[in-house]
Amino acid sequence: MSVPDSDVRSPDSAAQPISAGIVTALVGFTSSFAVVLTGLTAVGANSAQAASGLLALCVTQALGMLWMARHYRMPITLAWSTPGAALLAGAGTVSGGWPAAVGAFAVVGAAVILTGLWPRLGRLIAAIPPALAQAMLAGVLLPLCLAPVLALRDAPLAVAPVVLVWLVLQRYSPRWAVPAAFAAAAVVIAVGLVSGSDTLDTSALLPRLDVTAPAWTWQAMVGIAIPLYIVTMASQNIPGTAVMNSFGYRVPWRPAMLVTGVGTLVGAPAGGHAINLAAISAALAAAPSAHPDPRKRWVAAFTAGWAYLVLAVCSAAVAALIAAAPEGVVEAVAGLALLGTLGGALASALDDVREREGAVVTFLIAASGVSILGIGSAFWALVAGLIVRVAVGSRR
């Protein structure tokens, strides 16, 4: 692809990848951090541990982006596993509590490293029917996406401005709809603080790591680690490589898995659940809008890495602000942030008529939230879906 020298060397052209990188980080952070905090809290983290997890995720994915973008000269962007955080929100506290959840995060990191070193494991994950994996994800997301409806019923004055701003931005600038909804939520929280109905813990505004020694229980391994690994691989890493391929970039698979696996493993004791290749936000840095010359778009990912380090400094303050939110506001923002993911998961799950029965069963069990033997619904949903798939396939 040839690009006129004047386009590549102009100040405007030089500023393009930098601005694209900043937008990538801002959109990635503001559109899903509420989901991360919700998920970490659901599996037993207190407010300090959840804030530490958000900080760890920002730092580990930032360092991974800085190294990969610079080393491979590609706009390779990393992200935390938003579907994984949603899965945590549905899993709830497992036997062993927060330390067991941290142990499960570490196991996910080790499994991702093993995926990079042992290609057969990656092929095994790719062999899981996409319809079932997406149906499991959709079932996990459904209760979270219902939260704005319930919150609007229970606290209309606090939640209605958030939903209204999101709806308006969906029409005029969908990319900024969720960040704008969070901005509206911040205004609602500020009004509550000024009026005295809510309080802000000023001691929690400074970022700090809260390290937890991991513990391992079989319930956490089966109920958190396995579904989190599958969702992270099937809904983030594999689609992330496809997005990059669509823009002409071939992601170095083994190094990418090693970097994200090591980042997850290192960040786990501080509360980071998983980092991976970006899927949704990958296009922001890899598309022609980031720079007309594909060879210079790596600067966008490199800039996004630095931007995430800046956002890491703000992570504790953001978490403290969220903790001071009126009831229902955070849940509404998280639910709105996941609507697009839910729609995509449902479309993929039901697209193939031959897989539909198994996908529907998987979706219903995952959405039910049922827990058996201390293991959450995501695992049982996938097991039931595979059984139905085999039974229906035999019938056919």
Side-chain angles (χ1 to χ4, degrees):
M1 180 184 298
S2 62
V3 180
D5 289 342
S6 59
D7 289 342
V8 175
R9 297 172 184 172
S10 67
D12 289 343
S13 178
Q16 268 185 277
I18 295 176
S19 61
I22 295 173
V23 169
T24 299
L26 286 175
V27 171
F29 183 92
T30 57
S31 63
S32 58
F33 75 89
V35 183
V36 172
L37 294 174
T38 301
L40 295 178
T41 303
V43 291
N46 59 34
S47 57
Q49 291 164 337
S52 173
L54 185 62
L55 172 62
L57 291 168
C58 287
V59 172
T60 52
Q61 70 188 36
L63 295 178
M65 266 189 283
L66 290 171
W67 184 81
M68 293 201 72
R70 179 96 178 176
H71 184 77
Y72 292 102
R73 289 297 198 271
M74 289 186 195
I76 301 173
T77 51
L78 305 183
W80 53 58
S81 178
T82 301
L87 185 146
L88 297 180
T93 306
V94 294
S95 176
W98 175 243
V102 168
F105 302 162
V107 168
V108 171
V112 174
I113 294 173
L114 184 60
T115 304
L117 297 175
W118 189 34
R120 183 172 295 180
L121 182 58
R123 290 194 291 269
L124 180 64
I125 295 300
I128 295 176
L132 299 189
Q134 292 298 319
M136 179 186 72
L137 176 59
V140 167
L141 293 177
L142 181 62
L144 297 175
C145 291
L146 288 173
V149 180
L150 302 177
L152 191 60
R153 178 199 64 189
D154 298 334
L157 293 180
V159 176
V162 177
V163 176
L164 181 61
V165 169
W166 174 84
L167 187 60
V168 171
L169 268 291
Q170 279 291 332
R171 176 178 175 84
Y172 295 104
S173 183
R175 177 189 299 176
W176 293 99
V178 174
F182 168 67
V187 173
V188 171
I189 297 170
V191 170
L193 294 173
V194 171
S195 65
S197 58
D198 300 304
T199 57
L200 181 65
D201 183 6
T202 56
S203 64
L205 296 178
L206 294 178
R208 68 182 181 90
L209 292 176
D210 193 312
V211 178
T212 300
W216 288 274
T217 64
W218 70 269
Q219 292 95 335
M221 294 304 102
V222 177
I224 293 181
I226 293 176
L228 179 57
Y229 170 68
I230 292 174
V231 164
T232 299
M233 293 298 300
S235 300
Q236 294 282 160
N237 284 330
I238 294 174
T241 58
V243 170
M244 292 294 288
N245 285 339
S246 70
F247 291 106
Y249 299 101
R250 186 174 179 83
V251 175
W253 176 256
R254 176 171 292 181
M257 293 303 98
L258 294 179
V259 167
T260 55
V262 169
T264 299
L265 189 59
V266 170
H273 66 290
I275 63 170
N276 42 244
L277 291 170
I280 299 172
S281 60
L284 297 176
S289 58
H291 198 283
D293 185 353
R295 296 168 299 178
K296 295 185 180 292
R297 293 175 197 164
W298 70 271
V299 176
F302 192 73
T303 303
W306 285 110
Y308 263 110
L309 289 179
V310 174
L311 290 170
V313 178
C314 306
S315 60
V318 170
L321 188 67
I322 289 297
E327 186 176 356
V329 171
V330 177
E331 292 80 359
V333 175
L336 294 173
L338 292 169
L339 284 179
T341 306
L342 173 63
L346 285 172
S348 298
L350 302 177
D351 182 57
D352 190 344
V353 176
R354 295 170 299 179
E355 302 281 1
R356 194 162 290 175
E357 291 90 346
V360 170
V361 170
T362 302
F363 169 76
L364 291 174
I365 295 177
S368 72
V370 64
S371 178
I372 303 174
L373 300 177
I375 301 171
S377 61
F379 174 80
W380 298 116
L382 195 57
V383 170
L386 288 171
I387 292 173
V388 170
R389 183 177 187 269
V390 171
V392 171
S394 301
R395 182 194 70 197
R396 287 172 177 159

